Amino acid sequence: MSRAWIGAILGLLVSVTVQAADVHDVRLWRAPDHTRVVFDLTGPVEHKLFMLSNPDRIVLDVENTRLKSSLSSLPLTDTPIRQVRSAVREGNDLRIVLDVSAGVDPRSFSLKSNEKAGDRLVLDLYDQRATSVQPEVKKSVTQNNKRDIIIAIDAGHGGEDPGALGPGKRREKDVVMAISREIYALFKAEAGFAPTLIRTGDYYISLKGRRDLARKHQADLFVSIHADAFKRREANGASVYALSTSGATSTAARYLAQRENAADLVGGVRLSDKDDMLAGVLADLSMTSTLDASLQVGAEVLRNVDNVTRLHKRNVEQAGFAVLKSPDIPSILVETGFISNPGEAKKLGTSSYQKKMARAIHAGIKNYLVAHPPSGTLVAWKKAQGGSEYTIARGDTLSGIAQRFNVSMSVLKSTNGLSSSSIRVGQKLTIPAT
């Protein structure tokens, strides 16, 4: 091979190596304890991060990169960032300067492109004096020194992770946040229940971080709300999932778990099959009541959701959902529908349908907790003193309810003034104390 050819090849390799990347979009989200800035790139880059004082500012130097997006429209309100500016440095490099008004601990990392997102440079500014927007929920003492039942309501996705996308650019993260807030409001109005929202706004939380927040709030139950997409647009219907410690109960459940677990790829969290805490615990889940309780509450939610929409699966499905891997908290994931289905996406986007779905999920969870209240709670005390209330769902029979609550048919009828065994969906029954 001639020297001319070798030189041409080397020149081509050098030109490919030093090809400039573009920042084609810049996005910002505020979380309760940090601010995240994401730079969307056309290719991988090298960068350096450092801080300067008098005045305080964060500096990002990005090699061989051009800014092709505006920094002036970033939502800086309620963040420690006063201003973001840029400059060209040493010919081809980009310098991003963030003027800050409060102490922060900056961290940065690059993310390679994957099936869900392109190359990105992520800058997280953690508050030095982090104060949560939502106060930590305590298992509060109420009537007769009995505590509330704490329900952790997790709106899936958020921030740079929009979740599934439907027709008309409808985003899963917005739909499930609306439904989650409705469920929160319903439980907030109930004596003996203390709901908490895992995600209180539009920001990213890792799957493990969601479980950790539920544990921090001392939750008695965890419910994650979603509205997924499928490769076939005709797929429709709601479903409920619990954790599987072995294989998935169906191909669809496995596919969905893989999609939901991949949410961490968007946020820059390394996926792992096992967490340190769970390594020695997952094998013991089958020997505890946690998984059994998850299946029972999931079945009760399904029965109530069946009153609102078609069910995609009539039984609670199981797969290895990372967000459900809390060994000590009964946990379910509710797919409220397929946002990829045009008809279902239209319904999911309406306030009236969101309220109906929230009421069904709330009724299912409440029915289970009324029947199986955690010890030491106000609900358990009320049940022992004077019974509890149960909402009839599709498929219920009076004999089945009597068996579930361990009461006789005659007592159940007399307590509720029933002359026959006929009941209707939505009817409320008083379950006498046993």
Side-chain angles (χ1 to χ4, degrees):
M1 185 179 290
S2 67
R3 290 184 178 180
W5 274 106
I6 293 174
I9 292 171
L10 289 175
L12 179 62
L13 290 173
V14 169
S15 66
V16 171
T17 302
V18 300
Q19 183 176 8
D22 292 339
V23 176
H24 62 84
D25 195 12
V26 184
R27 297 168 293 143
L28 182 149
W29 292 274
R30 176 64 187 167
D33 64 343
H34 73 281
T35 303
R36 169 166 285 196
V37 186
V38 177
F39 301 89
D40 291 309
L41 304 161
T42 57
V45 297
E46 296 291 331
H47 77 281
K48 294 179 182 177
L49 170 69
F50 56 95
M51 301 179 66
L52 296 174
S53 56
N54 297 322
D56 293 335
R57 54 205 188 277
I58 312 298
V59 180
L60 268 176
D61 280 341
V62 192
E63 295 182 7
N64 203 26
T65 300
R66 299 168 300 194
L67 180 64
K68 297 292 185 177
S69 178
S70 172
L71 300 174
S72 60
S73 58
L74 291 174
L76 303 183
T77 305
D78 298 325
T79 76
I81 304 171
R82 290 192 295 104
Q83 181 184 4
V84 184
R85 46 201 171 90
S86 68
V88 177
R89 183 174 173 272
E90 297 182 357
N92 297 316
D93 296 346
L94 172 67
R95 170 165 284 186
I96 302 288
V97 180
L98 298 91
D99 299 310
V100 293
S101 58
V104 294
D105 293 322
R107 303 173 198 175
S108 64
F109 55 94
S110 296
L111 292 173
K112 294 181 180 180
S113 61
N114 56 61
E115 62 179 16
K116 301 203 70 161
D119 289 283
R120 287 158 292 155
L121 175 58
V122 180
L123 174 64
D124 285 331
L125 305 179
Y126 286 90
D127 303 344
Q128 288 184 349
R129 295 181 180 178
T131 55
S132 176
V133 172
Q134 182 182 26
E136 183 176 349
V137 173
K138 296 291 184 182
K139 291 193 172 178
S140 57
V141 175
T142 56
Q143 184 178 352
N144 293 296
N145 295 323
K146 301 298 185 287
R147 69 172 181 84
D148 294 332
I149 297 176
I150 298 175
I151 300 158
I153 305 163
D154 172 43
H157 306 280
E160 64 194 281
D161 173 20
L165 301 176
K169 297 183 179 180
R170 185 164 283 118
R171 302 180 300 185
E172 179 182 6
K173 68 174 183 178
D174 300 327
V175 170
V176 300
M177 188 77 246
I179 295 173
S180 296
R181 283 180 171 147
E182 291 292 341
I183 299 171
Y184 175 90
L186 289 168
F187 275 113
K188 192 70 175 174
E190 297 267 12
F193 293 92
T196 180
L197 287 171
I198 294 296
R199 176 166 70 86
T200 58
D202 185 15
Y203 51 87
Y204 169 81
I205 309 176
S206 71
L207 299 175
K208 180 179 181 298
R210 295 168 191 263
R211 302 195 314 259
D212 291 344
L213 281 170
R215 184 166 290 104
K216 175 185 176 184
H217 292 308
Q218 306 175 53
D220 294 291
L221 187 139
F222 176 92
V223 53
S224 191
I225 309 298
H226 292 259
D228 201 38
F230 196 62
K231 44 196 171 186
R232 292 186 294 106
R233 289 180 48 161
E234 61 268 25
N236 65 91
S239 47
V240 178
Y241 296 84
L243 177 66
S244 171
T245 57
S246 52
T249 51
S250 69
T251 302
R254 183 182 303 108
Y255 169 81
L256 181 62
Q258 290 170 347
R259 276 184 57 91
E260 296 297 357
N261 291 348
D264 273 353
L265 290 173
V266 178
V269 176
R270 184 173 161 182
L271 292 178
S272 174
D273 290 332
K274 294 176 183 173
D275 301 292
D276 292 340
M277 183 194 69
L278 293 169
V281 179
L282 280 179
D284 297 332
L285 266 177
S286 59
M287 294 181 287
T288 70
S289 62
T290 304
L291 186 53
D292 184 54
S294 300
L295 292 170
Q296 289 185 54
V297 69
E300 199 62 55
V301 169
L302 263 182
R303 285 153 49 78
N304 281 270
V305 169
D306 192 22
N307 300 327
V308 174
T309 188
R310 175 186 177 274
L311 296 184
H312 184 69
K313 297 287 184 179
R314 301 206 70 84
N315 298 313
V316 179
E317 293 275 289
Q318 292 178 259
F321 292 90
V323 77
L324 301 182
K325 291 183 178 180
S326 292
D328 53 344
I329 305 174
S331 303
I332 60 171
L333 185 147
V334 181
E335 288 289 350
T336 56
F338 286 87
I339 203 168
S340 53
N341 180 290
E344 211 152 60
K346 186 176 180 180
K347 289 195 298 182
L348 285 165
T350 65
S351 175
S352 60
Y353 186 78
Q354 291 164 2
K355 290 178 186 296
K356 287 180 182 178
M357 182 60 67
R359 285 196 294 267
I361 296 170
H362 162 264
I365 293 173
K366 182 186 174 185
N367 281 349
Y368 170 79
L369 291 172
V370 164
H372 310 278
S375 61
T377 62
L378 181 63
V379 175
W381 178 82
K382 282 184 174 181
K383 181 183 178 185
Q385 295 300 308
S388 54
E389 185 179 79
Y390 179 80
T391 303
I392 304 297
R394 185 177 297 177
D396 271 336
T397 62
L398 200 64
S399 60
I401 295 169
Q403 184 178 12
R404 193 181 316 165
F405 286 92
N406 194 29
V407 297
S408 69
M409 281 278 288
S410 58
V411 170
L412 189 57
K413 283 182 177 180
S414 63
T415 302
N416 291 276
L418 300 176
S419 58
S420 71
S421 298
S422 298
I423 53 175
R424 66 182 187 278
V425 173
Q427 180 181 353
K428 296 186 186 297
L429 293 180
T430 298
I431 309 298
T434 59

